[in-house]
Amino acid sequence: MSKLLSQIETIYPTLSKSHKKIADFILNNYEKAVCYTAAKLGTETDISESTVVRFATHLGYEGYPEFQEALQEDIKGKLTTLQRMEVSSLKLVDEDVLDKVMRNDRACIKETLETVSREDFEKAAKAINNADKIYILGVRSSAPLANFMYFYLKMVFDNVVLITSASSSEEFEQIFKIKKNDVCIAISFPRYSKQVVKTLEYTKEKGAKIIAITDSTTSPIAPLANYVLTAKSNMASFIDSLVAPLSLINALIVEASLEKRDEVLETFSELEGIWDKYDVYEKSEDIINE
């Protein structure tokens, strides 16, 4: 049960008759209520719009829009892909999709910067630097983020392992040697993978440090982690925006690399020579000549 729905259930006995009707509809039809206006929710429950607004303020919100946004955030991990499509189609109707999505991404980055734990961020970077081996875990929609992080960290560290698998058994095969002095960076966003949770439970039993990169401290991987880095992830459609998580990962890579600045400079100096020798990248003069 999500936090907001649990709150509604807790205070349910104290609600007025009309507020109970609203609560009943939300608890039993949250996938519909999440995209209803106050007027629409009032029509569905045969309650006045003003009473719906008072219900939202009774729960501690300034108004119905704030309550609706909290509900959307609270239950997004519970929605199926089909339900997400239905919600997003209602949210984006008559909207400039490009403008809406990019504004949401900008807001996600802003909120992430304001809310992420600076203490956990700095400790996570130190844990990466001090680890004997660094494991990076991210499946399904989080897999591209894990791949991105692996691509850059392996240029700085010699001890990076990307856990890639399609099954829980394969994940355990790749991580079963993890030790106390290792670190596992786990990336998970709604819809949360049970596979990742099970792997982290094993990792915790082995005594390795866990860095969780997720959307909330209520995420199922947060209680298993030593350090929790939260990044805002809004539901734009059937997908979640992962712009803020990627920006947070960028920052963590940079923070960890700064402690090895001289080694990083030496590494990239050698790599530039290799890339140039074997003509890996287009050169500016080649582009100009074309």
Side-chain angles (χ1 to χ4, degrees), residues 142-194:
S142 296
L145 296 176
N147 273 277
F148 177 88
M149 193 169 202
Y150 171 73
F151 179 82
Y152 283 102
L153 281 184
K154 72 183 179 67
M155 291 185 180
V156 181
F157 301 93
D158 298 325
N159 53 350
V160 187
V161 178
L162 177 65
I163 301 172
T164 56
S165 69
S167 69
S168 181
S169 61
E170 289 179 2
E171 280 188 11
F172 284 118
E173 288 165 10
Q174 295 176 71
I175 205 170
F176 84 97
K177 290 185 177 180
I178 195 167
K179 295 181 175 62
K180 187 175 181 180
N181 293 328
D182 297 334
V183 66
C184 178
I185 306 169
I187 307 169
S188 184
F189 289 83
R191 302 164 68 184
Y192 306 110
S193 167
K194 290 183 179 180

Side-chain angles (χ1 to χ4, degrees), residues 117-272:
S117 168
R118 299 302 177 96
E119 181 181 357
D120 276 17
F121 178 81
E122 292 172 3
K123 288 182 177 179
K126 288 181 180 178
I128 291 171
N129 271 290
N130 295 331
D132 290 341
K133 188 171 286 188
I134 304 162
Y135 293 84
I136 303 175
L137 171 62
V139 302
R140 302 183 70 79
S141 62
S142 296
L145 296 176
N147 273 277
F148 177 88
M149 193 169 202
Y150 171 73
F151 179 82
Y152 283 102
L153 281 184
K154 72 183 179 67
M155 291 185 180
V156 181
F157 301 93
D158 298 325
N159 53 350
V160 187
V161 178
L162 177 65
I163 301 172
T164 56
S165 69
S167 69
S168 181
S169 61
E170 289 179 2
E171 280 188 11
F172 284 118
E173 288 165 10
Q174 295 176 71
I175 205 170
F176 84 97
K177 290 185 177 180
I178 195 167
K179 295 181 175 62
K180 187 175 181 180
N181 293 328
D182 297 334
V183 66
C184 178
I185 306 169
I187 307 169
S188 184
F189 289 83
R191 302 164 68 184
Y192 306 110
S193 167
K194 290 183 179 180
Q195 195 175 320
V196 170
V197 175
K198 291 176 182 177
T199 304
L200 289 184
E201 287 172 347
Y202 172 80
T203 301
K204 190 174 182 67
E205 287 176 7
K206 299 287 282 187
K209 281 190 171 59
I210 297 173
I211 300 168
I213 300 176
T214 188
D215 66 317
S216 167
T217 53
T218 62
S219 161
I221 71 169
L224 298 167
N226 300 91
Y227 314 114
V228 180
L229 305 179
T230 56
K232 180 74 172 177
S233 171
N234 266 349
M235 184 175 65
S237 179
F238 61 95
I239 60 171
D240 283 299
S241 169
L242 296 177
V243 171
L246 181 59
S247 185
L248 177 60
I249 287 170
N250 273 341
L252 186 58
I253 293 169
V254 171
E255 179 75 11
S257 301
L258 285 176
E259 292 195 24
K260 294 180 174 289
R261 184 177 180 277
D262 292 339
E263 294 176 43
V264 172
L265 289 174
E266 185 178 342
T267 296
F268 278 98
S269 178
E270 289 186 35
L271 283 172
E272 285 294 343

Side-chain angles (χ1 to χ4, degrees), residues 39-71:
K40 175 67 173 173
L41 183 54
T43 300
E44 289 291 322
T45 56
D46 197 26
I47 300 293
S48 69
E49 180 180 352
S50 59
T51 301
V52 174
V53 174
R54 285 195 293 273
F55 174 79
T57 56
H58 182 71
L59 289 173
Y61 298 95
E62 291 185 4
Y64 184 79
E66 186 180 288
F67 165 79
Q68 185 183 41
E69 184 178 343
L71 182 61

